[in-house]
Amino acid sequence: MMNLAIQAAQSVRCITSPNPWVGCVIISKVGEIFTGATYEDGINHAEIVALNKAGTKAKGATAYVTLEPCCHQGKTPPCVDAIAGAGIEKVVVGIIDPDKKVSGSGIERLKNSGVEVEVGVESEAIKIQLAPYIKQRTTGAPYIVIKSALTLDGNIADAKGNSKWITGEQARMDAHRLRAESDVIVVGANTVRLDNPNLTVRNWQSAINPKSKNLDPKRIVLGNVKQDACVNPCESFSGSVKDLVESLSNLDVLQILVEGGSNVARQFHESGLVDKYVFYVSPSILGGVGKNLFGESANAEFEDIWRGEFESVTRLGSDIRLDLVGNAK
């Protein structure tokens, strides 16, 4: 049941920010299953969606929810009151909400209302799923992802700077979903001058709500751009990447996506601020001299190597997506 709730949460990953993407499954006394997921900011949370579907069948039922139900009045009423009022007998919680406005209080309220509570089911999977939310609510800083398409020998472009197309259609569509998951996208001014990208979300829409809000992230360019650049409207930033991240902290920015180019990627990598690297790798070898993801670094030695771990490996047509995580500062 919790895995079904995790799947429901994933279906709304791109539309809930700055709120967390949460899934809820209610199973009635006779085994009927009702699924809910959090809608856009200011609309029903996952628990309410599932309760509305269950109706009177929620009485005596068990609810599985990926994140601790809220207990405070925000843009929507407290979910714990609705759960207790519906007669839910037991709530199984994936993880405690790190938000200071909840952080165990929701569980306490449920118990005080006579609801049995179990915590920790599939917690590791949920921590991975909610990693950007957890980091932002815990530290105030956004979760930072570097994304790039690579040949098998590590090139992001050929010797002339051409990069279209390293990967196939499925990988490119997945990359647009990654954009939709992000609140901010960052590129360098040189990339804008060379490629003139839009940096919008295309070829993908929310499966749960195709008419949902604009999925395009806020676009920030490190450096200045011309007024007729396709990336506009965008924001130009002239400070260091650390200054940029600091300026976006405590502003409900859950995730920053760094798309390029090599100079910007290197700055973020060397800053130690990166939480995840997403590489779309094609089964291709450029050979000769191309353009490396982080540019040239003639003095690099193995004793200074950065090592992380693969969080996941996903097949996308003929390409693969590698999700690599490490220890950001």
Side-chain angles (χ1 to χ4, degrees), residues 110-314:
L110 287 172
K111 289 180 177 179
N112 290 340
S113 299
V115 180
E116 181 185 351
V117 180
E118 180 181 353
V119 182
V121 175
E122 293 294 343
S123 61
E124 291 307 311
I126 295 167
K127 286 176 183 178
I128 291 173
Q129 185 179 59
L130 284 173
Y133 171 77
I134 292 170
K135 181 183 178 184
Q136 197 277 336
R137 289 300 194 272
T138 302
T139 69
Y143 190 84
I144 299 175
V145 179
I146 284 183
K147 165 259 172 184
S148 187
L150 304 169
T151 62
L152 199 57
D153 51 345
N155 291 297
I156 61 173
D158 63 19
K160 295 182 179 179
N162 298 316
S163 59
K164 296 181 179 179
W165 293 106
I166 292 174
T167 54
E169 184 177 354
Q170 287 189 41
R172 296 199 298 272
M173 185 177 296
D174 189 78
H176 278 278
R177 179 189 171 92
L178 186 58
R179 283 183 182 176
E181 292 176 355
S182 304
D183 303 290
V184 171
I185 185 169
V186 177
V187 297
N190 190 52
T191 294
V192 172
R193 286 191 291 270
L194 292 175
D195 299 340
N196 198 23
N198 291 287
L199 300 182
T200 55
V201 176
R202 304 182 300 280
N203 304 320
W204 191 88
Q205 61 182 184
S206 168
I208 195 169
N209 186 7
K211 296 181 180 180
S212 63
K213 65 182 180 181
N214 182 10
L215 296 173
D216 293 338
K218 177 181 180 179
R219 297 176 286 277
I220 296 180
V221 178
L222 297 183
N224 297 316
V225 298
K226 295 181 179 179
Q227 291 184 349
D228 61 351
C230 291
V231 73
N232 285 309
C234 70
E235 177 183 320
S236 293
F237 190 86
S238 59
S240 70
V241 295
K242 287 187 176 181
D243 291 338
L244 173 62
V245 172
E246 184 175 345
S247 72
L248 294 172
S249 295
N250 299 308
L251 294 177
D252 279 339
V253 175
L254 302 189
Q255 181 166 297
I256 296 175
L257 180 63
V258 181
E259 282 213 12
S262 59
N263 181 48
V264 173
R266 184 175 66 253
Q267 288 181 58
F268 271 95
H269 176 68
E270 292 179 350
S271 74
L273 296 171
V274 181
D275 296 282
K276 178 184 284 191
Y277 300 80
V278 176
F279 298 141
Y280 296 95
V281 184
S282 70
S284 59
I285 297 175
L286 184 62
V289 179
K291 191 172 184 180
N292 183 269
L293 170 61
F294 298 118
E296 296 182 4
S297 185
N299 297 322
E301 298 180 10
F302 273 110
E303 64 182 28
D304 300 319
I305 201 168
W306 181 96
R307 293 189 185 274
E309 61 179 82
F310 289 117
E311 182 181 83
S312 63
V313 180
T314 308

